[in-house]
């Protein structure tokens, strides 16, 4: 055999056998792994199931928490599915689809990130059994798609429509409580749920059924108790006044919001300043002073009594601001500046020359609050004329608790937002999944062909949610599921798993709410990802050179 090197010797070479027939040798084949057909499908399903198994024990109000330690040593304690998967180091391409699934649920709905992954894992388990029976993956996908629509239609039939106003918001409060029930902060869920609902209603347009959660700022500070968490009808920023002798509280201030720094103008081109004697230095200093005095005077002439600046300024400018009795705050972020402008009715001014009295914002009070015995101080801008920008101020014993509280409150606010957009609800505790499962099972009897197996498999996968709820609550899963299915078969479609030992399996009586939009989105997203995984039948992995 003769080998002839080609133009890419590290990739391939041309060889001839004893009869003179050419063939190509592709190098580095030993560094490639390839799975095809059923073997590839089973490997993909196994990888995705392993991710789902991680989250099974975190499902429900009595789900367990996970501790995640980053390479930098940062510790996170959470049972939020999207956070757990986001912080896990996952290399498998199909397993990353489950991470993307959880993120999609989080961005679209805000809650249900654990349940959607657990349900997708149950669907893949059913698909694996059907692949072993010789059923083609395309027929399985078609059956799952049909079953998903049947289940969603059943949920729409069972959904209740709730009515609420800005003053009567009990259904919204109950939905927020149900969401916070499965979080680390569930001990104070009544107080936190009320804060979430009030925050969302403050920024909601009920006529258009629209909510802009960007107007809700969530700020936290270590110290104090979780019960001290409050809703501020205004903006809280993690800054203090630039000079320690400036007043700590201002009433009805006129606020100038600036994106220009208190400093002399800089030339556009490169210049060098040579100072040869003391007179030149003194002249240069006087010029700087003149610039600072002019900038401060422009703010005073406009009628400003408080300056909030995006940039910093040196001690010279700070001293002049103090001498002119003009309190100032420096290094305020761009997003915070926008929220302050919205809340106070002011305009963001890019140049001192453009500052006028009409562009100043106002509020009832600005105060600097010291936290505990530390030097941490924060500014509270309260009593704003436009209350559509609010701040949820969280207190907690440590940084981990505050971060988990932020995630929990975000989920609860998203569910309240979803309910304002679509005011139809279903009931939790696994009752919605059991009702959908029974409907899908009944519909499977009317379907002929191979899809019938997939539709029944979808019904079995729906039961994974109530089974895991029972397991995580320390209940007998078979007994609990059987009781709920028997009750539903006898005409009570609200029967689920009594996770909190309330003495009744009727979720409507327990007041466990979930939004219809969130539940249907959960089923559809999981079905789409499972269909995507089942369509992959060839995996080629090239390992890095050792």
């Amino acid at each position: 055999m003769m080998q002839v090197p080609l133009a890419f010797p590290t990739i391939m070479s041309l060889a001839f056998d004893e009869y003179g027939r050419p063939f190509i040798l592709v190098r580095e084949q030993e560094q490639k792994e390839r799975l095809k057909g059923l073997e590839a499908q089973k490997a993909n399903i196994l990888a995705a199931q392993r991710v789902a198994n991680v989250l099974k024990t975190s499902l429900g109000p009595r789900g367990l928490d996970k501790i995640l330690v980053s390479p930098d040593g940062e510790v996170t304690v959470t049972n939020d599915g999207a956070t757990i998967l986001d912080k896990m180091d996952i290399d498998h391409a199909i397993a990353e689809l489950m991470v993307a699934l959880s993120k999609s649920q989080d961005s679209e709905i805000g809650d249900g990130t654990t349940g959607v992954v657990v349900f997708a894992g149950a669907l893949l388990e059913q698909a694996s059994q059907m692949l072993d029976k010789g059923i083609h993956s395309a027929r399985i996908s078609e059956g799952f798609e049909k079953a998903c629509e049947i289940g969603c239609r059943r949920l729409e039939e069972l959904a209740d429509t709730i009515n609420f106003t800005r003053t009567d918001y009990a259904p919204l409060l109950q939905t927020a409580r149900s969401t916070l029930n499965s979080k680390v902060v569930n001990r104070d869920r009544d107080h936190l749920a009320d804060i979430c609902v009030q925050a969302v209603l403050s920024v909601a347009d009920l006529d258009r059924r629209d909510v802009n959660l960007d107007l809700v700022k969530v700020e936290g500070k270590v110290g104090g108790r979780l019960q001290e968490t409050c809703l501020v009808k205004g903006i809280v920023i993690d800054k203090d006044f630039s000079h320690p002798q400036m007043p700590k509280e201002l009433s009805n201030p006129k606020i100038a919001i600036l994106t220009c720094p208190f400093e002399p103008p800089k030339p556009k081109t490169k210049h060098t300043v040579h100072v040869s004697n003391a007179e030149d230095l003194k002249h240069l200093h006087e010029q700087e002073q003149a610039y600072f005095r002019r900038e401060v005077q422009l703010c005073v002439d406009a009628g400003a009594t408080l300056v909030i600046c995006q940039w910093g300024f040196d001690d010279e400018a700070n001293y002049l601001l103090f001498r002119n009795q003009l309190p100032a705050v420096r290094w305020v972020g761009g997003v915070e500046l926008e929220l302050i402008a919205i809340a106070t009715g002011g305009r963001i001014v890019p140049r001192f020359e453009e500052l006028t009295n009409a562009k100043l914002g106002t509020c009832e009070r600005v105060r600097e609050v010291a936290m505990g015995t530390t030097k941490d101080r924060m500014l509270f801008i309260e009593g704003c004329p436009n209350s559509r920008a609010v701040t949820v101020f969280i207190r907690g014993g440590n940084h981990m608790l505050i971060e988990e509280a932020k995630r929990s409150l975000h989920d609860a606010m998203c569910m309240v937002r979803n309910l304002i957009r679509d005011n139809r609800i279903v009931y939790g505790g696994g009752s919605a999944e059991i009702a959908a499962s029974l409907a899908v099972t009944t519909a499977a009897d009317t379907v002929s062909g191979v899809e019938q197996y997939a539709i029944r498999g979808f019904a079995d996968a729906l039961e994974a949610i109530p089974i895991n709820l029972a397991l995580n609550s320390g209940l007998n899963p078979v007994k609990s599921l059987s009781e709920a299915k028997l009750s539903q078969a006898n005409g009570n479609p609200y029967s689920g798993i009594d996770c909190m030992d309330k003495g009744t399996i009727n979720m409507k009586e327990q007041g466990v709410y979930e939004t219809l939009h969130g539940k249907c989105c959960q089923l559809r997203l999981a079905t789409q990802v499972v269909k995507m995984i089942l369509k992959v039948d060839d995996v080629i992995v090239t390992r890095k050179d050792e």
Side-chain angles (χ1 to χ4, degrees):
M1 181 178 68
M2 180 180 65
Q3 291 191 13
V4 179
L6 298 179
F8 307 101
T10 59
I11 300 175
M12 62 182 71
S13 60
L14 182 65
F16 297 89
D17 61 9
E18 61 271 20
Y19 300 106
R21 292 176 297 197
F23 60 93
I24 294 175
L25 295 177
V26 181
R27 297 185 182 180
E28 300 176 356
Q29 284 296 302
E30 72 280 356
Q31 295 183 7
K32 291 186 179 181
E33 297 176 358
R34 183 168 184 175
L35 298 174
K36 297 182 66 177
L38 182 61
E39 184 184 3
Q41 290 174 323
K42 297 298 286 287
N44 294 339
I45 289 173
L46 182 61
Q49 278 184 295
R50 285 181 176 175
V51 174
N53 290 338
V54 171
L55 297 186
K56 277 185 178 180
T57 56
S58 295
L59 185 69
R62 295 195 170 175
L64 303 179
D65 299 337
K66 303 285 187 287
I67 292 182
L68 301 134
V69 183
S70 71
D72 299 332
E74 182 184 351
V75 178
T76 303
V77 180
T78 184
N79 64 355
D80 181 64
T83 306
I84 293 170
L85 294 184
D86 184 49
K87 292 185 178 293
M88 285 174 60
D89 186 13
I90 296 176
D91 294 330
H92 197 281
I94 298 299
E96 287 179 354
L97 284 178
M98 302 295 275
V99 179
L101 168 65
S102 185
K103 287 182 179 178
S104 299
Q105 177 76 9
D106 190 41
S107 61
E108 179 69 20
I109 303 300
D111 194 30
T113 53
T114 304
V116 70
V117 175
V118 172
F119 177 56
L123 278 179
L124 289 169
E125 185 179 350
Q126 296 295 325
S128 178
Q129 295 173 8
M130 284 182 270
L131 288 172
D132 291 337
K133 294 177 182 177
I135 302 175
H136 196 273
S137 59
R139 308 304 295 273
I140 297 172
S141 298
E142 290 173 11
F144 282 172
E145 189 70 29
K146 290 180 181 177
C148 180
E149 293 308 313
I150 294 168
C152 290
R153 280 201 301 271
R154 177 57 177 162
L155 293 180
E156 290 173 1
E157 293 170 4
L158 293 176
D160 287 344
T161 301
I162 61 170
N163 297 309
F164 54 87
T165 62
R166 289 191 184 275
T167 54
D168 180 17
Y169 50 79
L172 300 179
L173 195 61
Q174 190 60 42
T175 304
R177 288 182 75 256
S178 299
T179 303
L180 292 171
N181 208 29
S182 60
K183 308 297 183 184
V184 175
V185 297
N186 62 355
R187 183 167 51 89
D188 299 305
R189 62 179 177 272
D190 293 337
H191 174 58
L192 297 177
D194 188 54
I195 288 175
C196 290
V197 174
Q198 290 188 32
V200 174
L201 287 176
S202 297
V203 302
D205 186 346
L206 296 183
D207 296 330
R208 294 174 52 238
R209 291 187 175 275
D210 185 38
V211 179
N212 184 6
L213 286 184
D214 291 337
L215 297 176
V216 180
K217 185 171 185 285
V218 182
E219 191 69 57
K221 180 63 72 173
V222 174
R225 300 176 302 161
L226 194 61
Q227 294 93 318
E228 296 173 15
T229 298
C230 61
L231 177 67
V232 179
K233 296 287 186 177
I235 306 298
V236 178
I237 55 176
D238 194 6
K239 303 291 178 185
D240 56 0
F241 287 114
S242 59
H243 197 285
Q245 291 180 281
M246 286 178 178
K248 304 302 179 188
E249 184 169 334
L250 303 172
S251 297
N252 299 312
K254 293 289 187 179
I255 305 172
I257 307 169
L258 304 176
T259 56
C260 45
F262 280 93
E263 62 181 21
K266 295 179 180 178
K268 299 290 184 182
T269 56
K270 292 183 179 180
H271 289 76
T272 304
V273 178
H274 294 284
V275 179
S276 56
N277 53 53
E279 288 296 324
D280 291 346
L281 183 61
K282 184 178 178 181
H283 181 63
L284 184 63
H285 179 257
E286 288 174 353
Q287 278 191 317
E288 284 189 351
Q289 287 270 322
Y291 277 120
F292 287 141
R293 288 195 189 96
R294 176 178 170 275
E295 291 166 352
V296 172
Q297 193 59 43
L298 285 172
C299 295
V300 173
D301 292 344
T305 56
L306 172 63
V307 174
I308 297 179
C309 186
Q310 186 178 15
W311 303 102
F313 38 82
D314 59 15
D315 293 339
E316 191 77 36
N318 199 16
Y319 173 71
L320 286 172
L321 287 166
F322 170 65
R323 283 290 301 272
N324 285 272
Q325 297 181 354
L326 187 60
V329 185
R330 53 187 168 186
W331 296 121
V332 179
V335 176
E336 292 172 327
L337 275 184
E338 291 179 8
L339 288 174
I340 293 170
I342 293 170
T344 61
R347 298 281 296 275
I348 298 176
V349 180
R351 285 182 290 274
F352 287 98
E353 292 78 10
E354 297 180 10
L355 185 61
T356 62
N357 189 268
K359 296 180 180 181
L360 301 179
T362 185
C363 64
E364 291 180 5
R365 182 172 61 163
V366 175
R367 58 192 176 100
E368 183 182 284
V369 179
M371 301 297 168
T373 58
T374 64
K375 293 184 179 179
D376 285 339
R377 294 179 176 85
M378 302 187 79
L379 277 181
F380 283 64
I381 303 173
E382 300 170 311
C384 300
N386 181 9
S387 61
R388 285 178 60 83
V390 296
T391 302
V392 178
F393 185 53
I394 302 172
R395 302 304 307 277
N398 55 56
H399 182 69
M400 287 187 295
L401 180 61
I402 287 177
E403 290 302 313
E404 181 62 15
K406 285 183 180 180
R407 288 188 286 266
S408 302
L409 291 177
H410 172 264
D411 289 356
M413 287 190 289
C414 286
M415 294 304 283
V416 175
R417 176 202 63 188
N418 297 338
L419 203 52
I420 290 175
R421 290 178 174 174
D422 184 354
N423 61 341
R424 292 178 294 172
I425 60 167
V426 293
Y427 297 92
S431 62
E433 285 84 358
I434 295 171
S437 174
L438 292 173
V440 171
T441 303
T442 304
D445 296 333
T446 64
V447 177
S448 60
V450 180
E451 283 92 350
Q452 183 182 134
Y453 289 96
I455 294 173
R456 291 188 187 280
F458 190 93
D460 292 339
L462 281 168
E463 295 177 359
I465 300 294
I467 286 174
N468 282 288
L469 285 175
L471 282 171
N472 294 343
S473 302
L475 304 174
N476 186 328
V478 177
K479 181 181 177 183
S480 300
L481 181 61
S482 300
E483 288 177 354
K485 290 180 73 173
L486 178 62
S487 178
Q488 292 216 11
N490 291 333
N492 181 11
Y494 310 123
S495 300
I497 307 299
D498 183 18
C499 299
M500 304 305 292
D501 297 328
K502 294 289 184 66
T504 175
I505 61 173
N506 190 322
M507 295 297 112
K508 191 172 185 177
E509 293 178 5
Q510 287 198 25
V512 182
Y513 294 172
E514 291 190 59
T515 61
L516 172 66
H517 177 58
K519 186 59 69 176
C520 290
C521 188
Q522 204 175 46
L523 301 185
R524 289 188 174 116
L525 282 175
T527 305
Q528 289 172 6
V529 168
V530 169
K531 286 174 60 180
M532 188 184 303
I533 292 173
L534 291 177
K535 288 186 74 172
V536 177
D537 73 333
D538 198 346
V539 179
I540 303 172
V541 180
T542 304
R543 291 179 293 184
K544 294 180 179 179
D545 295 340
E546 297 180 1

